[in-house]
Amino acid sequence: ATALDEAAAMLDAPRNAPDALRAALGNLRTAMDGMEVRATHRLPVHRPKPGTESEVRAFIETLDLSFRAQELGYATLQIAGNVDLAAAAERRSWPERLLGTEPGALTQPLASAVERAAAHLEPRSVWLHNSLRGALGLGIAVALANVTSVQHSFWILLGTLSVLRSNALNTGQNALRALGGTLVGSLIGTGLLQLIGHHSTVLWFLLPVAVLIAGIAPAAISFAAGQAAFTVTLVILFNIGQDPDWHIVLLRIEDIALGCGVSVLVGLFFWPRGAAAAVEQALSAAYTESARYLADAVEYAASRCSIGCIPTDAPVEAGRQAAAAARRLDDAFRSYLAERGAKPVRLSDMTTLVTGIVGLRLASDAVLELWQRNGGEEPMEPDRSEARLTLLDTVGRLADWYRELAVGLGRHTAVPAPLPRDSDEEARLVHSLRRDLRGDDGHATATAVRIIWTADHLNAARRLQPGLAAAAKPSEPAAHPG
């Protein structure tokens, strides 16, 4: 609670010194370490009969309170740490902001930029799609302007950029709006020229009004209204100080039509299904990478819980790949929200699927941090191979479920049913740790507690499944206003 209070204070005044927040974070870490040690003493006072279901439940329920505290503490560390990072970014100097220096980064700015850019050199990246589509559209527009030798080729490029959207359907809709708005604006501009005649002074007074309306109309009224107002602005601008010429409106329509045609053509080749398809593929990739990260994190933990096991390296690369997939998903989801028209999936369901990635990665991070933070071991290590195999079996089934979910999201096939809670598996885990959980002195070992907590983190990942399975089922398309 103290760390959250200090984080709130830092958000209110990000340029203040971060000493109080960082001290609170240090105290929280110390308290979590102490809680883990004391958790080994919180065993049932009245010991149930060994080997019974009540014994299993008693051990799990005894450690459940400490696990909830550890889970809450870890989440608080993440929140307060992100606040500290955001505040440090606010305190950067202008040269540091210009160079994109990330406060507290473990890598140099260039290495960080290369890592983030490499995350988008992937066929399903929204940034890559947008870049290729925009580059091809502008290239075709420039070539078309050179071939047709139009007088104002800039408007072909403007028309291309104005209506180019993430799918062919929306591009076509925007092309019709652009042409319709241009036609209406041309008629209004022609009428103004007929009324004003050679009075250039009046055109000067009308110009700022037209610019104001052109800036407000797209957001306040519609895209077509903005195109109409922009056309009127151009008519006024090109006729100030010279004889009124209504032919400019015809050239404006011609150039915009060419640009719209280019946009529709490019939209047919790139993303014909738009951001909806992109977000589905991004979800599939993110769940696949996050499941691999979870499996690798538990394997890392399992290699440190038993004698005779070669410790594996921390899954840094798996975590990096999961984070990159999550960033690509974030880009695709924002494009999905910005895209006009009906949504193939309800927004609530899509949000559930996107936030499921966050929950899965947090469980993986928590397992990894739990075993990295506690390096000390007991002098005499018992054989925990059975507990190790139980953890690996549990995470294997969990990872397989999330991989099947990823396949279902990517291919629009049925998603698997949520995994039920396995009481037999919990009993096997407690049985394998009986010597650790109830020694001669009545205390459990710290490693045994971490093993139980790791299983609890896996159970938290399992509890996400019913909501994700329900959200992934086909539903009626939801209308999107505007």
Side-chain angles (χ1 to χ4, degrees):
T2 302
L4 290 175
D5 282 339
E6 294 296 341
M10 181 60 66
L11 285 176
D12 287 335
R15 295 192 176 277
N16 288 352
D19 298 343
L21 175 59
R22 292 176 181 175
L25 287 174
N27 292 337
L28 177 56
R29 290 190 182 95
T30 302
M32 290 176 65
D33 291 339
M35 181 205 62
E36 180 176 333
V37 174
R38 288 189 294 275
T40 63
H41 298 265
R42 292 181 58 85
L43 293 177
V45 177
H46 303 289
R47 298 180 178 181
K49 185 178 180 180
T52 63
E53 177 67 23
S54 58
E55 182 198 31
V56 174
R57 185 176 298 112
F59 277 126
I60 293 176
E61 289 179 352
T62 299
L63 290 175
D64 186 66
L65 180 62
S66 59
F67 168 71
R68 298 303 173 190
Q70 194 270 346
E71 189 178 36
L72 179 62
Y74 179 75
T76 303
L77 285 175
Q78 299 303 304
I79 294 171
N82 284 333
V83 170
D84 187 21
L85 186 64
E90 284 291 320
R91 293 192 297 271
R92 290 179 301 173
S93 63
W94 281 109
E96 290 175 331
R97 296 190 183 195
L98 184 63
L99 294 174
T101 303
E102 182 179 349
L106 299 178
T107 57
Q108 295 298 322
L110 180 59
S112 178
V114 170
E115 177 184 332
R116 289 180 175 270
H120 294 285
L121 294 178
E122 202 268 349
R124 290 185 292 268
S125 171
V126 175
W127 281 14
L128 184 62
H129 277 253
N130 283 337
S131 300
L132 291 176
R133 191 177 64 253
L136 183 61
L138 287 177
I140 295 176
V142 170
L144 188 60
N146 290 333
V147 170
T148 56
S149 300
V150 295
Q151 184 177 1
H152 299 289
S153 57
F154 167 75
W155 304 120
I156 296 182
L157 304 183
L158 183 64
T160 301
L161 291 176
S162 297
V163 303
L164 190 60
R165 291 297 185 269
S166 62
N167 63 39
L169 177 61
N170 279 339
T171 296
Q173 291 176 348
N174 281 301
L176 293 176
R177 294 189 185 103
L179 289 174
T182 301
L183 180 60
V184 172
S186 300
L187 294 175
I188 295 174
T190 301
L192 284 175
L193 294 180
Q194 293 296 325
L195 290 174
I196 295 172
H198 296 278
H199 300 287
S200 297
T201 304
V202 179
L203 292 177
W204 277 110
F205 280 103
L206 289 176
L207 180 61
V209 178
V211 171
L212 176 64
I213 296 175
I216 296 175
I221 306 176
S222 67
F223 175 74
Q227 288 292 110
F230 187 54
T231 302
V232 173
T233 303
L234 291 177
V235 170
I236 295 174
L237 187 62
F238 277 97
N239 282 277
I240 289 179
Q242 52 186 295
D243 293 335
D245 185 7
W246 60 271
H247 290 88
I248 190 174
V249 299
L250 298 180
L251 296 175
R252 163 77 169 157
I253 294 175
E254 175 190 3
D255 295 342
I256 287 293
L258 289 174
C260 291
V262 171
S263 294
V264 173
L265 178 65
V266 174
L268 288 172
F269 284 99
F270 285 87
W271 282 18
R273 291 177 53 209
V279 77
E280 290 166 357
Q281 294 299 322
L283 274 170
S284 177
Y287 274 111
T288 299
E289 295 295 339
S290 298
R292 181 166 73 94
Y293 179 35
L294 178 63
D296 289 352
V298 174
E299 184 177 353
Y300 171 82
S303 70
R304 282 160 170 74
C305 69
S306 179
I307 59 174
C309 215
I310 300 176
T312 62
D313 295 330
V316 177
E317 181 60 27
R320 186 181 293 116
Q321 292 297 328
R327 283 196 293 268
R328 291 192 294 267
L329 173 61
D330 180 65
D331 294 330
F333 186 49
R334 282 188 279 115
S335 296
Y336 177 82
L337 294 177
E339 195 171 74
R340 295 173 180 267
K343 303 297 185 187
V345 180
R346 286 195 298 262
L347 182 58
S348 58
D349 291 339
M350 184 61 74
T351 304
T352 298
L353 293 172
V354 171
T355 54
I357 296 292
V358 180
L360 194 57
R361 287 182 59 217
L362 276 177
S364 308
D365 290 339
V367 170
L368 186 60
E369 193 269 349
L370 175 65
W371 290 87
Q372 284 182 323
R373 180 168 49 87
N374 297 274
E377 293 294 342
E378 297 82 11
M380 296 297 294
E381 283 289 336
D383 182 13
R384 304 188 184 97
S385 57
E386 186 179 353
R388 174 179 175 273
L389 293 176
T390 301
L391 287 179
L392 293 177
D393 180 64
T394 302
V395 76
R397 291 188 295 106
L398 273 175
D400 288 342
W401 189 92
Y402 280 105
R403 292 189 188 99
E404 292 179 20
L405 174 66
V407 171
L409 291 172
R411 299 180 181 177
H412 296 95
T413 56
V415 298
L419 297 175
R421 183 167 185 171
D422 194 339
S423 301
D424 293 337
E425 193 171 71
E426 293 176 350
R428 288 197 303 273
L429 186 62
V430 172
H431 175 76
S432 67
L433 298 172
R434 180 172 287 109
R435 290 179 56 190
D436 289 328
L437 290 176
R438 193 165 62 186
D440 295 335
D441 59 354
H443 296 165
T445 65
T447 300
V449 172
R450 292 200 296 273
I451 292 174
I452 296 294
W453 283 353
T454 301
D456 285 333
H457 282 301
L458 294 178
N459 191 44
R462 182 195 60 80
R463 290 198 303 269
L464 296 173
Q465 294 177 357
L468 297 176
K473 291 180 180 178
S475 59
E476 294 295 327
H480 181 71

